[in-house]
Structures are given as C-alpha cells and as structure tokens.
Amino acid sequence: MKTIGVIAGVSWESSIDYYRILNEEVSRRLGGLHSARIAMYSVDFEDVEGPLSAGRRDEAAATIVEAGKSIQSAGADFFIICSNTMGMFTPDVEKATGMKGIFIADAVGKAIKEKGMKKVALLGTRFTMEETFYRNVLVERYGLEPMIPDDEGRKIVDDIIWHELCLGIIKDESREKYVRIIEDLAKKGAECAALSCTEIPLLIQQEHVSIPVFDSTLLHSLAAVDLALA
C-alpha cells in the first residue's frame, strides 16, 4: 500500500471527513484491521485563505508547498489537497516535490463523465466558480459544460461557505438557499450538481435535491485510495 500524503486544514471541518473516508474505504477493500497509510499535514487555514483573498497567491501557495514538502519527508508517495479551491496549488506542490498530486477537479470530472452526464451545476467558492483553474479541467479533460449560479447566487453560495460551513455552522435556512439555487440550475438544464467545495457536503446530500449530486470530498478520497492500492 502506498502512503497517501494529505494536505489538510483547508478547512479542517472537511478534512475530518477525508481522514474517515480514506480509512473506511481501505478497511472495506482489504478487510481485517487494515487502515490507510497516511502522512497528513494540517495547515493554519488563515495562512492560506487570508493571502489568497488579498490577491497574494504566491504567499498562499508557499504555505501549501511547505506542507507538501513536510508530507514528502514523512514518507508520502503522492498527495491530495483537501480542498477544491486550494486544489489550484496542486501543480505548485508537484513542481516543488516531484510527487504526483490528484487534483480534485479530475476526480469530480471523471465521475460525472462516467455517468454519461454533460451539463453540471457547479457550486463552490467564488474562486472555483468564476476562475478557470477548475472549470477548464471539467471542460477540456472531460467534455463537461459547467453551469454556475447568477451573481447573487454565487454570493450566497460563497458567503455560506466562508462564514458558516468552514466554521462548522450548519443552518437549515442555508440549506434551503442552496437547494433553490441547485433546482434553478436544474430547470435551466443542469443534469447533475458538483458539490465542488469540500464543505458543501456537510450541508447538502442527495436526499435534498432532485438531480444527482457528486460529492467532491468522497470522490477525491476514493481516487486517493485507488492510487494507494494500485
């Protein structure tokens, strides 16, 4: 079994689920007392999110890269970054360490394509919804058509992530807002919804909406187990 390098803490609320899923899946596949071999480094999220929001991408990247070097020193064979937004730094860590990284957008895009779907409601932070680092992967590698909420919807989705979900705050009224946004995109043609922020599955599950949802945390974790056991 390969050792999975996990760059966590972005945010720690969803990193908990990564640790659980990685171990549960290895146990399920191998049986007995097996669990995942993991080298985890959990960053102080403020050291990443603060600079990134202020436009200091290089500073944010440096924090993630240092975490990557730490897990490599701890024996990681490859790595994942437990975030859709901070996944933008996957190439930075690959370049600095020579380790292979699994970009979360690849895990999501592959799963949607395998289900034969094309038009996908994309929900995440403003960075993920609006910038090209994530959407281009879905379009260019998997032939998908991402659909994002209107400006008001993007603000709602983004605000709830940063001011509630990353702080462990789960509100029914926020879930209702997300459901309305997803269902509106479904009416416009979305065949499924990509929960492309690792905190969104804390709020939205399949039972809440009418179209299939793709849980980025789960899919990313499963991709890591696939590689660890290959």
Side-chain angles (χ1 to χ4, degrees):
M1 189 193 313
K2 299 180 185 71
T3 298
I4 306 169
V6 178
I7 299 175
V10 282
S11 73
W12 69 265
E13 292 286 348
S14 59
S15 298
I16 294 171
D17 283 341
Y18 269 93
Y19 187 74
R20 174 182 56 79
I21 295 167
L22 291 171
N23 283 292
E24 285 179 348
E25 186 63 15
V26 169
S27 175
R28 186 188 70 81
R29 296 189 193 186
L30 299 183
L33 295 177
H34 283 290
S35 56
R37 291 177 180 165
I38 296 172
M40 177 180 282
Y41 188 104
S42 189
V43 304
D44 180 350
F45 197 21
E46 187 64 37
D47 292 342
V48 182
E49 193 282 326
L52 186 61
S53 291
R56 302 194 304 274
R57 184 196 185 280
D58 289 348
E59 185 178 335
T63 297
I64 297 296
V65 166
E66 285 306 307
K69 291 178 179 178
S70 293
I71 58 174
Q72 184 176 45
S73 297
D77 294 301
F78 66 95
F79 72 93
I80 56 175
I81 300 173
C82 299
S83 169
N84 288 268
T85 300
M86 305 310 160
M88 72 172 73
F89 301 124
T90 299
D92 299 81
V93 178
E94 288 180 325
K95 182 177 180 180
T97 65
M99 285 192 297
K100 172 182 172 57
I102 302 176
F103 183 24
I104 192 168
D106 283 302
V108 173
K110 182 174 181 286
I112 295 173
K113 183 179 180 180
E114 287 177 349
K115 291 295 185 180
M117 298 175 185
K118 196 172 184 70
K119 294 185 177 181
V120 51
L122 177 63
L123 272 69
T125 65
R126 274 196 178 270
F127 292 106
T128 299
M129 292 186 287
E130 296 179 354
E131 295 191 14
T132 59
F133 73 94
Y134 198 97
R135 289 186 291 112
N136 281 0
V137 170
L138 301 182
V139 173
E140 296 171 5
R141 297 182 190 173
Y142 301 99
L144 305 181
E145 297 179 16
M147 300 171 63
I148 61 175
D150 60 20
D151 189 65
E152 180 183 359
R154 295 198 298 275
K155 184 178 188 307
I156 290 169
V157 172
D158 187 76
D159 284 348
I160 289 172
I161 290 169
W162 295 115
H163 302 303
E164 297 177 21
L165 301 182
C166 285
L167 299 174
I169 299 169
I170 307 297
K171 295 182 178 180
D172 289 338
E173 55 263 42
S174 295
R175 179 179 293 112
E176 292 168 2
K177 291 176 183 178
Y178 268 52
V179 168
R180 284 197 296 270
I181 289 169
I182 292 170
E183 296 296 351
D184 179 62
L185 289 170
K187 291 177 183 176
K188 295 176 180 177
E191 301 165 87
C192 63
L195 307 184
S196 293
C197 167
T198 56
E199 284 77 34
I200 293 179
L202 302 174
L203 185 68
I204 295 292
Q205 291 85 46
Q206 184 60 71
E207 66 197 67
H208 297 127
V209 294
S210 63
I211 57 176
V213 299
F214 288 82
D215 178 338
S216 60
T217 303
L218 174 62
L219 294 170
H220 202 200
S221 299
L222 296 180
V225 173
D226 287 342
L227 183 53
L229 299 182

